[in-house]
């Protein structure tokens, strides 16, 4: 009734149910098998990717108003990021914007929390670097202080390009952009954090000194330029 998806409910209940099952075995409590109650089927919600024209409008608007919300939107567009992921960034470790190849590491923050393990990823920055350098640290601070980090970015997207879009639309937009230009699938998996990525988790802790000039991020940067070429100016 509150719009929470079944997958979210299952994800949050997985650990508590595992704890009950462990206690049942450990202490021989002889409880009945503990299973998640059946969940009603939910229709998939359609989320439109931004058209090329609307992407250009969004980026131009971010450049005209280069505040922390714009910085968040530029990162969301380039990495398929959610506002909640930005809220968990560690500025001293994850924001490598002065590296030889500027990039952001999405690792889930101090607790390592991402929606899925594959969501841990590397996002090269090819659009709006100056805006991100100036305002992304403040975006992390602001978004980490609110209960619903997506609210203000969603409002800004709707204000600038239309009510049919939301922050989640940007995750679909990068996929559409990649398909349109024939981007390398493995690079897309790593940048966007989709299932199928084969990124060594150790790499996420290298930081700018070890990762900023590595061959893998050079390849990711090259593919990101291809994906977002229509937005680079």
């Amino acid at each position: 009734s509150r719009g929470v998806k079944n997958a979210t409910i299952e994800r949050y209940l997985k650990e508590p149910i595992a704890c009950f099952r462990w206690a049942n075995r450990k202490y021989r409590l002889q409880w009945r098998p503990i299973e998640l109650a059946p969940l009603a089927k939910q229709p998939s919600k359609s989320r439109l990717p931004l058209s090329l024209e609307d992407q250009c409008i969004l980026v131009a608007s971010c450049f005209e108003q280069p505040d922390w919300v714009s910085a968040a939107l530029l990162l969301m567009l380039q990495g398929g990021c959610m506002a909640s992921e930005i809220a968990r960034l560690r500025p001293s470790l994850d924001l490598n914007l002065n590296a030889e190849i500027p990039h952001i590491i999405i690792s889930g923050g101090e607790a390592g929390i991402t929606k899925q393990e594959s969501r841990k990823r590397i996002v090269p920055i090819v659009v709006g670097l100056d805006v991100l350098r100036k305002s992304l640290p403040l975006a992390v601070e602001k978004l980490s202080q609110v209960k619903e980090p997506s609210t203000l970015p969603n409002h800004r997207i709707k204000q600038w390009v239309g009510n049919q879009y939301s922050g989640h639309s940007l995750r679909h937009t990068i996929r559409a952009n990649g398909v349109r230009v024939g981007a390398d699938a493995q690079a897309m998996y790593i940048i966007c954090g989709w299932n199928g990525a084969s990124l060594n988790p150790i790499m996420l802790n290298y930081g700018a000194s070890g990762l900023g000039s590595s061959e893998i991020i050079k390849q990711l940067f090259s593919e990101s330029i291809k994906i977002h070429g229509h937005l680079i100016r």
Side-chain angles (χ1 to χ4, degrees):
S1 66
R2 290 167 48 199
V4 179
K5 293 292 183 184
N6 285 351
T8 301
I9 295 171
E10 291 172 354
R11 188 170 61 251
Y12 276 98
L13 289 179
K14 185 182 296 183
E15 288 187 357
I17 289 176
C19 288
F20 284 127
R21 288 174 176 168
W22 173 86
N24 194 23
R25 292 192 304 270
K26 171 83 171 175
Y27 299 107
R28 301 178 182 178
L29 300 176
Q30 298 183 341
W31 293 338
R32 292 190 209 171
I34 300 168
E35 303 292 343
L36 178 65
L39 299 172
K41 289 186 177 181
Q42 294 174 315
S44 298
K45 187 176 181 180
S46 176
R47 293 185 176 90
L48 294 173
L50 273 66
S51 67
L52 295 180
E53 179 183 1
D54 285 339
Q55 291 175 53
C56 292
I57 291 172
L58 179 64
V59 169
S61 299
C62 287
F63 288 164
E64 291 172 6
Q65 188 173 330
D67 59 7
W68 67 266
V69 182
S70 293
L73 290 174
L74 288 169
L75 177 54
M76 291 165 71
L77 177 62
Q78 292 175 81
C81 302
M82 304 306 294
S84 57
E85 293 179 307
I86 298 175
R88 290 192 289 267
L89 290 174
R90 302 164 298 179
S92 61
L93 296 176
D94 299 332
L95 310 188
N96 299 301
L97 297 173
N98 294 311
E100 178 182 341
I101 300 177
H103 63 281
I104 304 293
I105 296 174
I106 308 292
S107 62
E110 296 297 340
I113 299 171
T114 53
K115 189 173 183 179
Q116 298 169 354
E117 192 64 22
S118 60
R119 287 279 185 98
K120 293 176 169 58
R121 60 202 191 272
I122 300 166
V123 181
I125 301 302
V126 299
V127 178
L129 178 59
D130 289 342
V131 177
L132 288 165
R133 279 176 174 162
K134 180 179 179 182
S135 300
L136 189 57
L138 181 59
V140 175
E141 178 184 341
K142 293 286 188 180
L143 293 173
S144 66
Q145 294 173 348
V146 295
K147 185 176 181 180
E148 297 292 341
S150 62
T151 300
L152 198 49
N154 281 348
H155 174 76
R156 188 73 63 86
I157 292 172
K158 295 179 186 301
Q159 177 187 3
W160 282 345
V161 292
N163 287 324
Q164 70 271 35
Y165 299 129
S166 68
H168 210 116
S169 299
L170 299 181
R171 187 159 175 80
H172 295 268
T173 298
I174 189 172
R175 183 190 291 271
N177 287 345
V179 171
R180 181 177 60 86
V181 299
D184 178 77
Q186 187 65 22
M188 289 286 292
Y189 289 148
I190 294 175
I191 293 170
C192 301
W194 294 326
N195 288 331
S198 60
L199 182 64
N200 186 337
I202 296 173
M203 294 185 65
L204 297 172
N205 295 317
Y206 281 175
S209 59
L211 188 58
S213 60
S214 72
E215 291 303 315
I216 186 170
I217 201 168
K218 288 178 182 177
Q219 178 64 24
L220 296 178
F221 188 80
S222 175
E223 291 298 318
S224 194
I225 288 176
K226 184 192 298 185
I227 294 165
H228 302 292
H230 58 294
L231 301 172
I232 298 172
R233 56 180 181 174

